[in-house]
Every structure is written in C-alpha cells, then in structure tokens.
Amino acid sequence: MSVDSTAKSRVSPPPAAIAAAGPGAASAAWGVAAVGAATIAGAWFFQLVLDILPCPLCLEQRYAYYLAIPLAVVTAIAARRGAPRPWIAMGLAVVALAMLANTVLGSYHAGVEWGFWPGPTECTGPINDLGTAGSMLERLDSVKVIRCDEVQWRFLGLSLAGYNVLISLAMAALAGLGLRGLARAAA
C-alpha cells in the first residue's frame, strides 16, 4: 500500500462506514446544530438588539443549547467520518435527552408566566427584603431584576418560553429521527 492511498483512507471513510452509520444520522445532527444555532442567535438578538433581557429561567434554558449545538456538530462530523455506531448513537441520545429536559424546563417557565404554578423565589413573587431606606435607593439604581412570571414578548399567543418548548421538542425529535436511522441501518 502506498503512502498516498494510506493518507486517502484516513481522510475519507470507506462508503461502507458511512452507510453503517446511517445516512440520516449526520443529517439529523447537522439539523439539530442548525436549529439550535439559529435559536441561540435569535435569543441573543432579542437580548442585545431589542433589549429584551432574559430572566434567570430564560438563561437556564440556554444551557441545553450550549450542550446540544457543539455535541451535534461533533456527532455529525463523527458520523460522516465513519465513527462507530454506538458513539454516534450516544451523541444523538444525549442531544435528545438534553432537549427533552429543556422542553420540561420551558414548559415549567411557560406555566409560571401563565400563573399555573409559582416560579422560583429569586425572580417571582413579592419583594420582601428592601433593606434600609438609604440602601434601598442605591439598590434600585444598581439592580434590575427580570421577573420570570412576567412575559416580555408574545407572538401568536406564545412567549419566548413557549417557543422554546416547541423548538426544544423539534430538536429532540430530529435527534430521535437520527437514532431511528441508525437502528434501521443496523438491521
């Protein structure tokens, strides 16, 4: 075997390796990464351009995206390069579970906004500890609490938390389709 043919086999996997990974696994992972990146870009646009500041629950909902986007990119690249099927399946499964957990967190947040249940005490409910009169004025100038139970923006009746539920569910479904493609390719 010549040096050139060895180098080529390292660069691109044999077609059988790509077929073993399932044709939809890489596409699903790229889809998850694209949808997630667009969602986070939109969240930053709302925050930095439109000055709609996120509450603590909104910020927590971003964590799943910060995990899912790079993991989906790595999984897509691994699938394209012919990585072992269990590794690709594990990447897609972690992405799906993270986005399902984010669906639950987004549903909780939307329920707080609709008043179905109380939210976390750090961003909902009455303000009880105002301190002394002098320090209260200083604190009012320096602290801006974004409440989790007040909707800052709605479109078609849904808040950003509601849209996060739908997007997270769609991303989990995409990862699930990739897993199904892997299972079918194995059969």
Side-chain angles (χ1 to χ4, degrees), residues 43 47 52-59 62 146-147 152:
Q47 179 179 345
I52 298 175
L53 299 176
C55 72
L57 280 176
C58 294
L59 292 173
R62 292 182 186 183
I146 307 300
R147 297 180 55 90
Q152 296 184 56

Side-chain angles (χ1 to χ4, degrees), residues 76-183:
I77 291 170
R80 176 68 182 109
R81 292 186 178 237
R85 190 179 338 215
W87 288 100
I88 298 166
M90 187 180 345
L92 288 170
V94 169
V95 167
L97 290 173
M99 297 320 295
L100 286 174
N102 205 43
T103 299
V104 172
L105 182 58
S107 298
Y108 168 71
H109 187 189
V112 169
E113 290 175 341
W114 284 99
F116 294 153
W117 41 75
T121 56
E122 64 267 7
C123 63
T124 59
I127 301 172
N128 295 327
D129 183 22
L130 297 177
T132 64
S135 70
M136 182 176 73
L137 290 176
E138 291 172 13
R139 289 179 57 198
L140 287 175
D141 285 338
S142 65
V143 175
K144 183 175 181 182
V145 176
I146 307 300
R147 297 180 55 90
C148 297
D149 56 355
E150 293 179 3
V151 177
Q152 296 184 56
W153 185 85
R154 280 191 203 272
F155 181 68
L156 300 175
L158 286 178
S159 67
L160 291 173
Y163 282 105
N164 179 55
V165 170
L166 298 176
I167 293 167
S168 295
L169 199 56
M171 289 173 67
L174 265 174
L177 287 173
L179 283 168
R180 188 176 80 175
L182 278 176

Side-chain angles (χ1 to χ4, degrees), residues 38-73:
T39 302
I40 285 297
W44 288 339
F45 177 81
F46 274 88
Q47 179 179 345
L48 300 174
V49 176
L50 301 179
D51 201 32
I52 298 175
L53 299 176
C55 72
L57 280 176
C58 294
L59 292 173
E60 287 178 18
Q61 290 171 73
R62 292 182 186 183
Y63 296 159
Y65 291 94
Y66 296 145
L67 169 70
I69 294 167
L71 183 57
V73 168

